[in-house]
């Protein structure tokens, strides 16, 4: 209960006592003293203006044991900002002070430039950046994603992490199987998918839809996954949770999943919001502490 309250009551005051650096260029700083903590804002990991991250580096970190939380915001692949996860960023800093935290912006989809594959490439490019020796971080990652960010977290962790650096994923209302008839036969859902795949319908390229479906990319090596969905979500069909769980179970991947009855797209009731936090903390404490 105490730990969950720590996560709910975000202690932004903590940032006043930590080293704060605004970093617009990846070339400005050559090293960060591992005996000091830093909160770096708007750190560039590429040349595009949207390729920015906020990064918390804990005190006494080292490349052997300092694990990293990676936060990936939602917004239908074409909107949203890392600021959406500021509370989670600060909450994780307070609750797990020995872990690093990355809060990621990525290139948003536009009509002429869909989210896939550039957003997966951005995740990799950001991870390549924090693997540089100057940060003194381990190659052990736990991904948090909401909605489209949860989809990207799962897709990256299941299909684009050959070295198995991703150890766990928290999936909150993420699309998992875009070949699901509940998606491809629904005009609203189908329109949203344009942000990811562009102006390509399922009938035109079913292989592409399977390629970008996390549930279709699960293997026996996939990271442990905890998932949360709402039964009346207007954007995510309820079938998405069961399709993912079926794939995870078939491959023997440790996982947990919760469907909050009567709740929507992550806007949990107070009781369910408390349950959500308790389950996340328990999962992290079990697998990633």
């Amino acid at each position: 209960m105490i730990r969950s309250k720590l996560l709910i009551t975000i202690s932004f005051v903590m940032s006043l006592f930590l080293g704060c650096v605004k970093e617009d260029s990846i070339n400005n700083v050559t090293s960060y003293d591992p005996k000091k903590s830093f909160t770096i804002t708007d750190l560039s990991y590429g040349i595009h203006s949207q390729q920015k991250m906020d990064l918390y580096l804990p005190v006494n970190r080292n490349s052997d044991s300092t694990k990293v939380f990676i936060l990936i915001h939602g917004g239908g692949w074409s909107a949203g900002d890392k600021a959406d996860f500021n509370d989670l960023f600060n909450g994780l800093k307070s609750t797990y002070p020995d872990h690093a935290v990355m809060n990621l912006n990525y290139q948003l989809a536009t009509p002429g430039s869909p989210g896939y594959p550039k957003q997966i490439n951005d995740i990799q490019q950001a991870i390549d950046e924090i693997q540089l020796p100057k940060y003194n971080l381990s190659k052990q990652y736990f991904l948090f994603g909401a909605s489209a960010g949860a989809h990207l977290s799962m897709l990256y962790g299941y299909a684009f992490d050959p070295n198995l650096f991703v150890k766990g994923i928290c999936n909150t209302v993420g699309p998992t199987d875009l070949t699901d008839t509940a998606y491809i036969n629904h005009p609203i859902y189908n329109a949203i998918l344009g942000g990811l795949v562009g102006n390509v319908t399922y009938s035109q390229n079913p292989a592409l839809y399977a390629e970008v479906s996390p549930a279709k990319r699960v293997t026996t090596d996939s990271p442990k996954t905890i998932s949360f969905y709402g039964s009346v979500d207007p954007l995510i069909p309820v079938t998405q949770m069961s399709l993912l769980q079926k794939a995870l179970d078939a491959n023997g991947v440790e996982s947990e999943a919760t469907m909050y009855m009567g709740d929507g797209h992550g806007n949990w009731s107070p009781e369910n919001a408390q349950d959500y936090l308790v389950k996340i903390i328990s999962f992290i404490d079990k697998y990633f502490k």
Side-chain angles (χ1 to χ4, degrees):
M1 179 64 71
I2 293 176
R3 302 196 65 185
S4 63
K5 286 182 178 179
L6 282 172
L7 199 53
I8 295 173
T9 307
I10 304 302
S11 182
F12 66 88
V13 178
M14 290 292 292
S15 64
L16 300 177
F17 300 96
L18 301 173
C20 293
V21 180
K22 184 173 178 63
E23 191 60 63
D24 290 321
S25 169
I26 59 177
N27 299 314
N28 283 349
V29 178
T30 58
S31 66
Y32 294 92
D33 186 349
K35 295 182 180 179
K36 297 180 181 180
S37 61
F38 296 87
T39 298
I40 311 163
T41 61
D42 291 329
L43 171 64
S44 296
Y45 62 89
I47 62 173
H48 194 282
S49 62
Q50 294 174 339
Q51 292 177 311
K52 298 285 182 71
M53 69 173 92
D54 297 338
L55 182 64
Y56 167 65
L57 302 174
V59 67
N60 295 325
R61 63 193 173 278
N62 65 78
S63 59
D64 292 325
S65 61
T66 302
K67 301 175 182 178
V68 186
F69 294 116
I70 298 177
L71 317 184
I72 306 176
H73 71 79
W77 302 282
S78 58
D81 188 87
K82 58 184 170 65
D84 300 340
F85 265 159
N86 279 350
D87 283 355
L88 178 59
F89 180 82
N90 289 317
L92 289 169
K93 284 166 52 177
S94 299
T95 308
Y96 297 97
D98 295 330
H99 289 48
V101 189
M102 175 209 288
N103 191 10
L104 185 66
N105 265 355
Y106 48 85
Q107 296 175 80
L108 299 177
T110 66
S113 179
Y116 183 78
K118 69 179 182 181
Q119 292 170 351
I120 291 295
N121 294 337
D122 280 359
I123 294 170
Q124 184 60 64
Q125 198 165 336
I127 288 175
D128 289 344
E129 171 67 22
I130 65 170
Q131 287 179 352
L132 294 176
K134 65 181 178 180
Y135 299 109
N136 289 284
L137 300 175
S138 78
K139 296 177 180 178
Q140 300 179 73
Y141 309 123
F142 187 103
L143 276 51
F144 279 87
S147 193
H151 164 269
L152 293 171
S153 297
M154 291 183 287
L155 186 60
Y156 178 83
Y158 298 162
F160 294 93
D161 179 34
N163 295 309
L164 308 181
F165 292 148
V166 178
K167 305 303 181 184
I169 297 173
C170 178
N171 156 39
T172 301
V173 298
T176 66
D177 187 346
L178 306 186
T179 71
D180 181 4
T181 55
Y183 259 122
I184 61 179
N185 292 336
H186 195 292
I188 296 177
Y189 297 158
N190 209 305
I192 293 171
L193 294 181
L196 178 66
V197 298
N199 296 320
V200 180
T201 65
Y202 174 76
S203 61
Q204 290 172 329
N205 195 343
L208 173 62
Y209 277 66
E211 182 177 332
V212 298
S213 294
K216 299 290 189 182
R217 309 302 296 271
V218 173
T219 70
T220 56
D221 292 325
S222 292
K224 300 172 179 63
T225 303
I226 184 169
S227 298
F228 300 92
Y229 289 88
S231 69
V232 293
D233 190 328
L235 301 175
I236 305 296
V238 294
T239 49
Q240 294 293 286
M241 187 177 87
S242 59
L243 288 168
L244 175 63
Q245 286 307 116
K246 182 178 179 180
L248 293 169
D249 291 345
N251 284 276
V253 178
E254 293 185 66
S255 65
E256 299 177 15
T258 299
M259 178 71 72
Y260 290 125
M261 304 308 297
D263 279 351
H265 196 61
N267 52 330
W268 315 136
S269 69
E271 180 181 357
N272 287 338
Q274 179 70 11
D275 179 76
Y276 173 72
L277 292 170
V278 168
K279 286 179 176 175
I280 290 173
I281 290 172
S282 177
F283 193 81
I284 292 171
D285 286 352
K286 183 175 181 181
Y287 296 118
F288 199 69
K289 192 171 179 181

